[in-house]
Amino acid sequence: MTEFAPDTGFRKNRKLKDALLRHKAFSKDGLSERLFGLLFSGLVYPQIWEDPDLDMQAMELQPHHRIVTIGSGGCNMLAYLSKAPASIDVVDLNPHHVALNRLKLAAFKHLPGHTDLVRFLAMPNERSNSQAFDHFLSSNLDRTTRAYWNGRKFGRRRVTVFNRNFYETGLLGRFIGAAHLLARLHGVDLKEMTKTRSIREQRQFFDEQVAPLFEKPVVRWITGRKSSLFGLGIPPQQYDELASLTADQSIAPVLKHRLEKLACHFPMSENYFAWQAFGRRYATDDEGPLPTYLKRQHYEVIRANVDRVNVHHASFTELLTKEPAASRDRYILLDAQDWMTDQQMNELWAEITRTARPGARVIFRTAAEKSVIEGRLSASIRDRWQYFEEKSKDMTALDRSAIYGGFHIYGKNA
């Protein structure tokens, strides 16, 4: 478990700067990159926005598998634990995500039971949660993580955010809140989506209330600017990929299409991503599902396997360079490659290829539909991997989070 600096901003976070910055500071692109970096230096994702059920289906997880994944909000690495893999290494460049992942692991291990876990991690307006932290979790955290959650922001301890609504915080939580406000200013209450009881009703609400918002001048103006979408965690490179999908280089049609999938392709009773987007919370027992890692049926096995996880403040490549050859089985890259230069991507895949056992799998998402590694990896690396193209297309259609253009699966040749 690597140490991290809990209050390091973008200026001092060399790991994040190395991953993000490509252009000179005072160029247009350079200023855009640095603005995104400043925003990305705080907590970004209180919840991860990749569907873990899809991940586990694509990876075909087995008990002997050793996994490396990017942490983000921490939901998915906990979901993977429901399959009791041999080990999970979690990496993240953002120290706030590192602290969140470690807190979630401690909550599973040290809170008294499943009800206490759900109250702490999923339910809003539970004012006893900071007391539960003090009583059960604080003394069981490493020194740096404990200092992070006991640290103060705007005069209050960070951990008190769990007394309110944790999912309204972070860069993404605030962005969703701003979208709700903008919709209300146009007479639309997005929370009404949570009252629908069928896909037909969801479709009607989307077509009549949500879709017209994308034609509003202010919405088109906002979506036409890279910086306005940094709140979705979309860096400048990803914005350009999305804009390339439309004739007029506007991403409003792309966002509308993906929000339509989120709203209309899966029942609200089965999609906790839609609950967060439209309801700004998780559903109660009689309304819909909790995330996979919080479901009661997975609680005991996840709790029993928490110690198989190590969380590192490091990049994917940085971690793998320290690991033995042929030592890992599954790699989850989220959408990190959308940020990468060709050199960074080849360095990453060189280490993946070196550390991967025969039959290993890599999964990742992309903002656009096509796989970003095609035509960019050196032939000596690319030839070692098979692309499961048809299965990848099928998986893309099944992704409940709906925000990505492509889901991609690669397997190492024997």
Side-chain angles (χ1 to χ4, degrees):
M1 186 179 287
T2 53
E3 198 60 270
F4 68 100
D7 293 306
T8 297
F10 179 63
R11 186 174 63 85
K12 295 182 179 180
N13 191 339
R14 173 53 59 186
K15 298 175 189 291
L16 182 58
K17 291 172 74 173
D18 288 345
L20 181 63
L21 299 184
R22 302 183 183 181
H23 299 89
K24 293 181 179 180
F26 294 104
S27 66
K28 181 179 179 181
D29 289 333
L31 289 171
S32 183
E33 289 169 349
R34 284 157 178 81
L35 175 58
F36 177 79
L38 287 171
L39 293 172
F40 204 82
S41 294
L43 178 71
V44 181
Y45 302 113
Q47 169 190 293
I48 195 170
W49 276 77
E50 282 84 6
D51 191 336
D53 293 349
L54 204 65
D55 291 356
M56 291 186 287
Q57 184 179 345
M59 290 190 288
E60 300 179 358
L61 286 182
Q62 300 296 322
H64 68 275
H65 285 159
R66 301 187 68 194
I67 301 168
V68 186
T69 183
I70 295 173
S72 187
C75 317
N76 286 24
M77 64 92 176
L78 286 163
Y80 307 154
L81 276 184
S82 69
K83 301 296 184 181
S87 70
I88 303 178
D89 283 293
V90 177
V91 297
D92 207 290
L93 297 175
N94 187 320
H96 302 267
H97 292 160
V98 173
L100 177 58
N101 276 253
R102 293 180 181 175
L103 179 65
K104 287 185 172 182
L105 288 164
F108 262 93
K109 187 171 182 178
H110 298 292
L111 288 176
H114 179 259
T115 300
D116 306 282
L117 180 79
V118 172
R119 183 186 304 115
F120 189 85
L121 292 178
M123 296 295 106
N125 303 316
E126 293 287 347
R127 300 196 176 277
S128 64
N129 279 339
S130 59
Q131 297 173 15
F133 172 86
D134 293 334
H135 188 71
F136 297 107
L137 303 182
S138 181
S139 63
N140 290 300
L141 293 169
D142 64 272
R143 176 182 56 82
T144 310
T145 305
R146 180 168 59 250
Y148 174 88
W149 290 108
N150 278 320
R152 293 188 176 272
K153 185 175 182 181
F154 304 123
R156 294 185 289 196
R157 286 194 304 159
R158 278 195 178 98
V159 72
T160 60
V161 71
F162 291 96
N163 293 350
R164 303 185 296 278
N165 187 341
F166 179 62
Y167 299 98
E168 292 183 354
T169 65
L171 189 62
L172 180 59
R174 291 191 294 272
F175 180 91
I176 293 173
H180 276 251
L181 176 60
L182 184 61
R184 287 198 300 273
L185 291 174
H186 288 90
V188 177
D189 182 359
L190 296 178
K191 290 184 178 180
E192 291 294 310
M193 177 66 84
T194 66
K195 298 179 181 179
T196 59
R197 292 295 176 263
S198 67
I199 287 184
R200 184 186 63 81
E201 291 182 10
Q202 292 167 216
R203 166 61 68 181
Q204 182 178 2
F205 182 81
F206 180 84
D207 289 345
E208 295 179 358
Q209 301 292 324
V210 180
L213 293 173
F214 286 90
E215 304 306 319
K216 303 297 183 182
V218 67
V219 174
R220 297 193 68 84
W221 182 87
I222 289 172
T223 57
R225 280 148 183 81
K226 292 182 183 181
S227 59
S228 64
L229 296 179
F230 288 170
L232 276 174
I234 295 177
Q237 300 94 325
Q238 272 191 326
Y239 183 98
D240 292 337
E241 286 289 332
L242 291 171
S244 70
L245 300 176
T246 61
D248 61 357
Q249 298 292 296
S250 168
I251 71 165
V254 180
L255 295 178
K256 178 182 175 182
H257 174 73
R258 298 198 180 166
L259 188 60
E260 178 186 14
K261 180 180 177 182
L262 179 68
C264 305
H265 289 205
F266 310 94
M268 287 293 294
S269 59
E270 299 176 7
N271 193 358
Y272 63 86
F273 295 102
W275 272 93
Q276 280 294 344
F278 292 103
R280 306 200 70 198
R281 62 180 177 88
Y282 290 130
T284 58
D285 287 341
D286 60 337
E287 293 175 320
L290 286 170
T292 300
Y293 80 101
L294 289 175
K295 291 181 178 179
R296 184 177 293 276
Q297 64 263 36
H298 302 311
Y299 171 69
E300 292 296 342
V301 66
I302 295 175
R303 182 171 184 161
N305 289 289
V306 162
D307 290 336
R308 299 186 184 189
V309 180
N310 281 300
V311 183
H312 310 268
H313 184 210
S315 72
F316 222 101
T317 307
E318 182 183 2
L319 175 75
L320 293 181
T321 57
K322 302 173 184 177
E323 298 303 317
S327 62
R328 297 296 189 275
D329 302 281
R330 297 293 185 266
Y331 303 81
I332 303 96
L333 300 174
L334 306 187
D335 61 341
Q337 293 176 111
D338 281 3
W339 302 28
M340 293 183 180
T341 63
D342 288 0
Q343 179 180 343
Q344 290 169 333
M345 190 179 294
N346 276 275
E347 289 172 352
L348 168 63
W349 276 85
E351 288 302 324
I352 290 175
T353 303
R354 184 185 66 83
T355 58
R357 293 169 175 160
R361 287 193 180 182
V362 179
I363 63 171
F364 58 89
R365 270 107 170 152
T366 50
E369 295 178 6
K370 294 181 179 179
S371 168
V372 293
I373 73 169
E374 299 301 335
R376 296 177 64 186
L377 286 186
S378 69
S380 62
I381 296 174
R382 177 64 185 86
D383 290 346
R384 303 286 300 277
W385 295 87
Q386 175 187 0
Y387 182 32
F388 299 108
E389 187 169 5
E390 290 305 315
K391 187 170 185 179
S392 295
K393 290 179 180 178
D394 293 342
M395 292 292 185
T396 299
L398 296 173
D399 196 336
R400 291 173 297 175
S401 76
I403 65 173
Y404 293 103
F407 182 97
H408 307 282
I409 311 165
Y410 286 79
K412 189 178 183 183
N413 298 326

